[in-house]
Amino acid sequence: MGNKAADAVSSLLCCPCRCLFCGVFSCLFSVLTCVLFAAGLVALVLYLLFRPHIVRAAAVSADLTAFTLTPRTWILRHNLSVDLQLRNPNKRIELHYHGVAAQAYYQGQRFADTDLPDMYQCTGETSPPIAVAFGAGESPLVGGIAAAGFRREAAEGAVFSVDVKVTAHTKLKLWLIKVPGPKTKIDCPLRIHRRNDTADGDTPPQPPFQPTECRVWF
Ligand SMILES: *[C@@H]1O[C@H](CO)[C@@H](O)[C@H](O)[C@H]1NC(C)=O
Ligand SMILES: *[C@@H]1O[C@H](CO)[C@@H](O)[C@H](O)[C@H]1NC(C)=O
């Protein structure tokens, strides 16, 4: 009786691929091939669904209302906000971002961070700009090289190279199925002009912010 059950199970397992390997390979081998083939097919489908349609992100505006370095103590006083736009080019996959966190770096040093609310993104949708407001704050800048870099950029028209990074966990919704998605990382290397509200008429107009494509990876 035990044998009968085992036979039934093995014939059930062998069944889908048996015709391919009639009498040539053992059942075990055909089952293994079957499993590998199915796994490969799933991987291929996932690849075709995701890989060509990576989420796109761009910084569409930025406002640097304060960015100064105190002499000697090298404390960076800052007030930065950036508007990000995300685009989900997938036709079938909806995205839910959670645990969204943003950090701002200057000279490779993190000077500000903030958490953002969850975001939902339907298929093929460009999100309305997401305001990433780091708010006003102070942070020490470590090292003479970083301070020298700051002074150089301040002298050269006060355009600063600031890196804004965003990380988020994702959930993917495919029709009615929800699955945990990969962790998304966005990196926006920006050149932002420090706003100067006290500039007089003699100073040349400040250059507008250049919208910048960000790198996105998983
Ligand atoms: C920081 O800048 C924003 C505009 O981007 C402004 O509304 C806010 O008042 C500023 N905060 C401080 C403390 O200056
Ligand atoms: C703003 O512009 C004025 C006039 O050009 C200049 O004297 C001042 O140093 C500038 N302030 C900052 C923070 O760049």
Side-chain angles (χ1 to χ4, degrees), residues 136-157:
E138 299 184 348
S139 171
L141 195 65
V142 180
I145 294 172
F150 180 94
R151 282 193 293 268
R152 185 174 44 76
E153 287 194 316
E156 290 171 358

Side-chain angles (χ1 to χ4, degrees), residues 117-140:
D118 286 16
M119 293 180 282
Y120 297 86
Q121 205 169 27
C122 296
T123 57
E125 186 188 72
T126 301
S127 70
I130 301 151
V132 184
F134 291 101
E138 299 184 348
S139 171

Side-chain angles (χ1 to χ4, degrees), residues 67 76 103-112 139-143 145-147 149-150 153 160-165 187 189-190:
F67 208 64
L76 196 60
Q103 300 96 35
Y105 291 80
Y106 183 68
Q107 305 274 349
Q109 299 178 30
R110 185 159 87 184
F111 65 87
S139 171
L141 195 65
V142 180
I145 294 172
F150 180 94
E153 287 194 316
F160 294 95
S161 308
V162 173
D163 235 347
V164 172
K165 294 180 202 270
D187 184 6
L190 307 176

Side-chain angles (χ1 to χ4, degrees), residues 1-118:
M1 202 176 105
N3 267 355
K4 245 189 197 168
D7 280 354
V9 167
S10 77
S11 81
L12 203 70
L13 282 174
C14 292
C15 193
C17 301
R18 182 171 262 175
C19 47
L20 290 174
F21 301 99
C22 280
V24 183
F25 300 107
S26 71
C27 171
L28 187 68
F29 188 81
S30 70
V31 167
L32 214 67
T33 313
C34 222
V35 166
L36 285 179
F37 181 75
L41 200 68
V42 167
L44 184 72
V45 166
L46 286 178
Y47 174 85
L48 289 178
L49 277 174
F50 288 101
R51 194 49 205 248
H53 306 298
I54 213 158
V55 173
R56 302 186 63 180
V60 290
S61 72
D63 196 8
L64 193 60
T65 51
F67 208 64
T68 54
L69 193 65
T70 58
R72 288 188 302 278
T73 48
W74 293 348
I75 302 292
L76 196 60
R77 294 214 167 89
H78 53 83
N79 185 1
L80 169 66
S81 68
V82 174
D83 283 344
L84 283 185
Q85 199 154 49
L86 299 178
R87 201 177 117 64
N88 171 17
N90 296 289
K91 294 216 167 54
R92 280 176 210 91
I93 302 165
E94 292 177 24
L95 294 165
H96 170 198
Y97 302 90
H98 58 106
V100 190
Q103 300 96 35
Y105 291 80
Y106 183 68
Q107 305 274 349
Q109 299 178 30
R110 185 159 87 184
F111 65 87
D113 47 41
T114 183
D115 290 335
L116 298 174
D118 286 16

Side-chain angles (χ1 to χ4, degrees), residues 186-200:
I186 301 171
D187 184 6
C188 310
L190 307 176
R191 303 266 300 149
I192 312 175
H193 192 275
R194 178 177 60 201
R195 193 173 356 147
N196 185 346
D197 292 329
T198 57
D200 47 34

